[in-house]
Amino acid sequence: MHPYVVIAGRPNVGKSTLFNRLVGARLALVADTPGVTRDRKEAECVLAGTKVMLVDTAGLEEAAPDTLPGRMRASTSLAVDQADLVLFVFDARAGLLPEDMHFAAWLRRTGRPVLVVANKAEGRGGAAATMEAYELGMGEPIGVSAEHNEGIYGLMSEIAERLPKPDMPADGEEANLPLHLAIVGRPNAGKSTLLNYLLGEQRMITGPEPGLTRDAVAVDFTGPDDKLYRLVDTAGLRKRAKVDEGLERMSTSSSIEALKRAEMAVLAVDALNGIQEQDLHIARLIEREGRGCVIALTKWDAVEDRPKAMKQALDRLSISLSQSKGITLVPLSAETGEGIAKLFPAIRATYEKWNMRVPTSALNRWFENALERFPPPMVEGRRLKLRYITQIKARPPTFALFGTRAEQVPETYQRYLVNSFREVFDMPGVPIRIYLRGTENPYADQK
């Protein structure tokens, strides 16, 4: 029997959306109306190499007792009794409501292992609400956005770590889970040719005509580093304004969906044309989705002045893509195989950084030095007092910055902190998030 993982929480916090995301199929009916889930739904799935039975609990309308906390308990108590782990989900946009607090207190009394999940945590407010969940006394909360597929892989890993493992995988098997990789780029940038080379067979129809590849196709393969990859070759990203035909629109949305399902992205750029504005748009999209990125300069075999082409690419990136400073460029040719061997070490190195959790002591040392080197600016005639920083999640590295009026920190100073962090911890090509959380009274949280 697989371990039971039960998703619980008040109505409309996104339990069914999270259930669907973890299962990988739309098994639960999802809508904005509270109480859409009428029955308990179960599905067997694999989370970070661990087989589990995932349970989506019923909406509150099916429960009998007349108080809201009572109804919540009644609707989920049977499932919780069987649970090896309870995912207690709350809405990060709404924050912790009294119903959440009551339900959390009841869950604590059941003695079942609980993992707090802050759903809809894709914005600044969501990150702050995630941190507020520490007060529930249930350990470190995990911030995710089930709808946007943010933080889901980290959640899967956390679930797997907390479950009993009756069927232990063979040595190295769990460590060799496929890395989810998306190849993205402008039409005709050489994405399909690269995929065919990697797989060693003609999987995609390729040719000089832009837009030949219509579907996003997921395939598993073993890389030259003997590690598993799940690779999605996409149908080409184009500016939404230029997407007119229905088929093209579907291809564009599938490319964006592929990015949401990926952990790492390879941005294919035609080296003959250089980095265009549309390439930069796609790079910004990858950064916005929070994915690690490596740029592949394709068709390198046809480039005559290679030093000039490389310099132009690096110059364009340093000027126009400051948010992904130091991103790795790999010149390659899928026609001849040149440079392919360097692609996978670059992907793995960036992936490791994307997964990185910085030790608190090292983080504090860096933070103190950064403040000393360049103190926070004056805002409205008063000095901002930044007190401490903490990492709230990896994938990508995300931090919360606390201090008096911290929410007023200008964007220029935030950029300084991010760039300083990148430099000290060597984090090229990885999005870095810093959320600000301030208090008017510096002693407010000491009361």
Side-chain angles (χ1 to χ4, degrees):
M1 187 67 182
H2 302 318
Y4 248 61
V5 177
V6 174
I7 300 175
R10 63 181 179 79
N12 214 30
V13 294
K15 296 191 296 293
S16 293
T17 307
L18 181 62
F19 175 83
N20 289 340
R21 185 66 76 177
L22 291 173
V23 171
R26 287 192 170 274
L27 299 183
L29 183 64
V30 179
D32 289 335
T33 312
V36 162
T37 308
R38 294 294 178 189
D39 303 296
R40 193 166 100 188
K41 290 183 175 60
E42 299 181 356
E44 192 179 291
C45 59
V46 179
L47 305 180
T50 303
K51 286 184 179 177
V52 304
M53 183 64 75
L54 195 65
V55 182
D56 182 20
T57 49
L60 299 190
E61 284 70 14
E62 306 311 304
D66 54 3
T67 66
L68 188 57
R71 296 211 310 276
M72 293 181 83
R73 290 197 293 270
S75 68
T76 55
S77 59
L78 189 62
V80 168
D81 286 345
Q82 302 172 0
D84 293 287
L85 180 66
V86 178
L87 303 184
F88 171 50
V89 185
F90 75 97
D91 182 339
R93 286 183 205 152
L96 282 170
L97 301 185
E99 301 97 288
D100 297 313
M101 306 293 275
H102 284 300
F103 192 47
W106 170 74
L107 270 179
R108 253 198 318 272
R109 290 195 295 272
T110 66
R112 310 309 298 171
V114 177
L115 174 58
V116 180
V117 179
N119 190 27
K120 309 180 190 179
E122 62 271 14
R124 290 173 185 269
T130 301
M131 292 180 285
E132 281 172 22
Y134 276 105
E135 68 188 68
L136 295 174
M138 293 176 167
E140 182 179 358
I142 303 278
V144 304
S145 171
E147 188 178 349
H148 297 99
N149 201 25
E150 285 187 19
I152 296 299
Y153 291 106
L155 175 61
M156 289 178 175
S157 300
E158 191 68 30
I159 292 169
E161 280 177 25
R162 296 195 185 205
L163 288 173
K165 294 181 174 61
D167 305 316
M168 289 298 286
D171 285 348
E173 187 181 319
E174 192 174 1
N176 202 19
L177 292 168
L179 186 158
H180 291 64
L181 186 66
I183 295 181
V184 295
R186 288 186 293 121
N188 208 29
K191 299 181 299 296
S192 298
T193 311
L194 177 57
L195 176 63
N196 286 337
Y197 184 92
L198 296 177
L199 299 178
E201 54 187 287
Q202 193 74 11
R203 284 289 185 107
M204 313 296 294
I205 305 169
T206 62
E209 300 84 7
L212 266 184
T213 311
R214 289 296 182 186
D215 300 317
V217 182
V219 281
D220 288 9
F221 74 103
T222 303
D225 52 2
D226 291 328
K227 294 186 182 294
L228 283 178
Y229 293 85
R230 177 160 297 151
L231 194 134
V232 179
D233 178 73
T234 61
L237 282 168
R238 298 193 180 187
K239 289 182 184 176
R240 282 186 176 275
K242 292 187 178 177
V243 177
D244 299 316
E245 302 299 322
L247 191 58
E248 280 287 334
R249 188 178 293 112
M250 287 169 63
S251 294
T252 305
S253 61
S254 71
S255 301
I256 294 169
E257 187 62 30
L259 264 184
K260 290 181 184 298
R261 299 184 78 87
E263 297 167 297
M264 284 287 302
V266 173
L267 172 54
V269 174
D270 185 336
L272 294 171
N273 294 330
I275 294 176
Q276 305 290 316
E277 188 56 40
Q278 203 173 341
D279 297 314
L280 296 170
H281 278 305
I282 298 169
R284 291 180 193 117
L285 176 64
I286 295 167
E287 196 274 341
R288 192 191 76 194
E289 292 293 335
R291 307 301 180 241
C293 181
V294 171
I295 293 180
L297 285 175
T298 62
K299 310 179 186 178
W300 196 242
D301 56 310
V303 175
E304 291 179 8
D305 191 341
R306 292 183 171 190
K308 182 183 177 185
M310 181 58 90
K311 184 179 184 305
Q312 285 178 341
L314 289 170
D315 288 349
R316 187 80 202 267
L317 288 173
S318 65
I319 294 166
S320 306
L321 207 64
S322 59
Q323 66 268 49
S324 296
K325 194 174 180 181
I327 197 164
T328 305
L329 273 171
V330 182
L332 56 83
S333 167
E335 292 288 343
T336 66
E338 180 188 358
I340 298 283
K342 293 180 180 176
L343 180 63
F344 286 88
I347 291 169
R348 279 286 159 186
T350 305
Y351 178 70
E352 295 303 323
K353 301 290 185 187
W354 186 70
N355 270 291
M356 188 163 131
R357 278 196 172 272
V358 180
T360 304
S361 56
L363 189 62
N364 287 332
R365 275 197 305 275
W366 159 75
F367 186 55
E368 286 167 14
N369 290 336
L371 293 182
E372 206 172 294
R373 187 176 161 197
F374 184 16
M378 303 278 279
V379 173
E380 296 174 356
R382 292 186 293 179
R383 177 74 65 189
L384 298 177
K385 292 180 182 175
L386 304 183
R387 298 168 62 196
Y388 65 96
I389 192 166
T390 183
Q391 185 168 3
I392 51 178
K393 74 180 184 76
R395 310 166 68 96
T398 303
F399 303 88
L401 178 58
F402 295 82
T404 310
R405 301 190 312 284
E407 73 282 355
Q408 296 177 7
V409 172
E411 277 190 31
T412 49
Y413 196 75
Q414 291 179 53
R415 276 201 301 274
Y416 157 70
L417 289 175
V418 168
N419 288 336
S420 170
F421 179 86
R422 264 192 216 289
E423 194 178 315
V424 170
F425 294 103
D426 185 27
M427 301 282 276
V430 177
I432 293 166
R433 308 275 192 260
I434 295 183
Y435 294 114
L436 310 169
R437 191 172 181 204
T439 53
E440 274 302 319
N441 178 356
Y443 304 103
D445 54 0
Q446 296 178 15
K447 289 182 180 179

